[in-house]
Amino acid sequence: MESGRVVLVVGVEESSTAGLESDDWTVERVGTVAAASDTFDRVDCVVTAADLPDGSGLSLCERIRERRPALPVVFVPATSDDELARDAVRAGVTEYLPVSVISGPDDLRGAVAAALDADPETTGGPGGADTGAVQVSADRTDELERYETIVEAVDDLVFAFDEKGRFTFANEAHESMTGNPAEDLIGKHPAIQVPDEDVAKTERIVRELLAADDRDHATFEMDVIRTDGERVPCETHIALMTDEDGEFQGTAGIVRDVSDRKEQEGLFSTLVEEANDGIIITSEGGIQFCNEQMAKMLGATREELTGQGVHRFVADEDRETVEEMFWQRYRGESDSARYEIDLCTTDGERVPVEVNTSLVSYQGSTGDLAIVRDITDRREREQELELYEKMLNAVPDLVYAIDEAGRFIAINEAGRELTGWNPDEAIGEHVSIGMSEADVAAGQRYVEQLLADDDREKAIYEMELHRTDGETIPAENHVALLTDDEGTFRGSVGVVRDISDRHRRERRLTVLNRALRHDLRNSMHVVLANAELLTAEIDDPDLRDRLDTIRHRAEEVNGLSEKAREIEQTLGTHETERRAVDLAPLLDTQVETFRDRYPSATVEADFPDHAWVEATELIDSAVGNLVENSIQHNGTDPTVTVSLSVDDDRVRVTVADDGPGIPEKERRIVKQGSETPLDHASGLGLWLVAWITRDSGGTIRFEDHDDWGSVVHLDLDRCDAPERADAHQATDGRALDDGAGALGSDEPADGRTDPGTRTDHD
């Protein structure tokens, strides 16, 4: 044996190769296929494991056979396996020595010595040494017997043909696969079990191998015909056999049943082609394969993409990431990688994607398999969520979400300043950390109402918010349901607003209003009393006219004060929630009341049987004020007409009279919704009508008439009648109180309860 030889160990654990060193050779060790490929020209033998970080020992052997066909390869898998042994034969290993059968250092050292001493020109088994077949020495009978046993034990068809293409050898697997006993095949032409077209293909391949200087084996697919006529798809590996002078002696090969693989390939092919994600395989930076979805994603055809450099489709700022992820896997630092980048289509558009990659063996070399998912929608959702988060944190109110058990799952930063809570520490805590038991129960009742009413979107109620420093804050809680994509209740969300300033303003206004009305009323009483006394003492007609003017204006001021008191009581003690209201019976009751109260007036009515609207409980009070104003300001025998018209979406209430009409100034101010010191209305009646109508989601419109009376239209949203007319959501009639519906009363005349539909608050 020559000295100075080099044995390269690839990926085999040192514990399995201990004692391999020898005076006849030196040992070098590497861990990957890539590292081993750089040494082929200077080593004398390769000892390789089956599994390597960037490929396999068999793929390494195939590379060796392409560059140095006679370089000995000792294959050392972890365990013995018949299928792996067949693959080893096909790949052209010199020695097959599983770790499981190595009993000591001498076994592996002996296998290396035998491989180094093997005659590269000696043929053995079905192929020659330079054809990838297993080489055995003639004087090693035990080794020959071992390989003969393997050949007979394998399930694949092993064969040898003479130079005329007739069987000279067939293993026993022929009978089990085809039904033809091996001994019956000897001397026969393969056409006995191979279709004519595949016989022609095999002969053509053999001619090509004979004509080639750098290739003496080939792998291709063909069918084998069973004796019952069934075709079995197979993969065939064939090699030329030559004598010592290089003369052609025939062929040898292995035929493997690939029915299962074909079925799997068909399944995988369907999955790959039908996948919603892009699938791409690259090798040395070039695209070797991509599915239709990947081509669509890049805006090109598969043919156009094949062979293209993959980096041209990666955004400039992401190329370094892609390169680094590849080399981490190639160096064995990780098996796979997952990252997000932007791809650039052929049209220059950017597509955000999530990439999952891993190394694969593809067409004899190491490639990079990537599953590419378009995350445009997800990126947009993330950006929206980020925007919402910024918006919520910019809101000065406490914004929260709780689960179905009442535990916080989200709180914005404003909650820290308002409550003193640390938002992160508050997550998972029950809402009772900031609310009284009564307010928690109220919140639960409102949630239950929302769950019971599909038409109701939110609820608003007042509560006290308890700070960590012990202070309580009056607050308004806007609550809505939290549901998943299937509509299942998952909790609630809300906005809690500090209304301390509002309460202070309301208390101050209440004090000011009461003081103003009290002083104003008392002062007007004094004025009226003195006017009466002076009238009795003065005979001058001019002075008496002036006293009448004083008395009249004082009575108007007193009436205005009383009207303000009525409006405050009415609007202050009634909710502005909207619900289903049947206006027809309500207004019919009002008309009858006005006819009794004002017998000199003519009140005409034109109503359908029903006119369901979505409005507040005071909507009939608005109509009643219009009717009463028309009667009181239109002379001694006024005529007032009240009518209802219904279409698909709206209900219109019309009040018309034959009086002097509503001044343009009054109409303009009420329509614009505000007054100025120089432009204000003379009374409050129209304001009350406008406020109630707008709280009901309706509009008020004045119709112009140059020669007679006034016409006022109230347009309201039409709604369907409730399933139960007596349900708490609906109103279909109530008594008129004091000539203006519920004005001045603390409760609705019909005893209506809290409504259960939409709520509008400022």
Side-chain angles (χ1 to χ4, degrees), residues 328-349:
Q328 284 183 12
R329 296 190 305 284
Y330 197 83
R331 293 191 299 264
E333 298 173 9
S334 64
D335 295 330
S336 60
R338 179 178 179 177
Y339 51 89
E340 292 184 8
I341 60 172
D342 279 4
L343 294 180
C344 297
T345 70
T346 54
D347 295 333
E349 295 183 6

Side-chain angles (χ1 to χ4, degrees), residues 177-178 193 223-233 259:
M177 182 186 292
T178 69
Q193 59 184 23
D223 287 349
V224 169
I225 302 177
R226 293 170 47 84
T227 53
D228 59 7
E230 179 185 351
R231 287 195 175 205
V232 181
S259 301

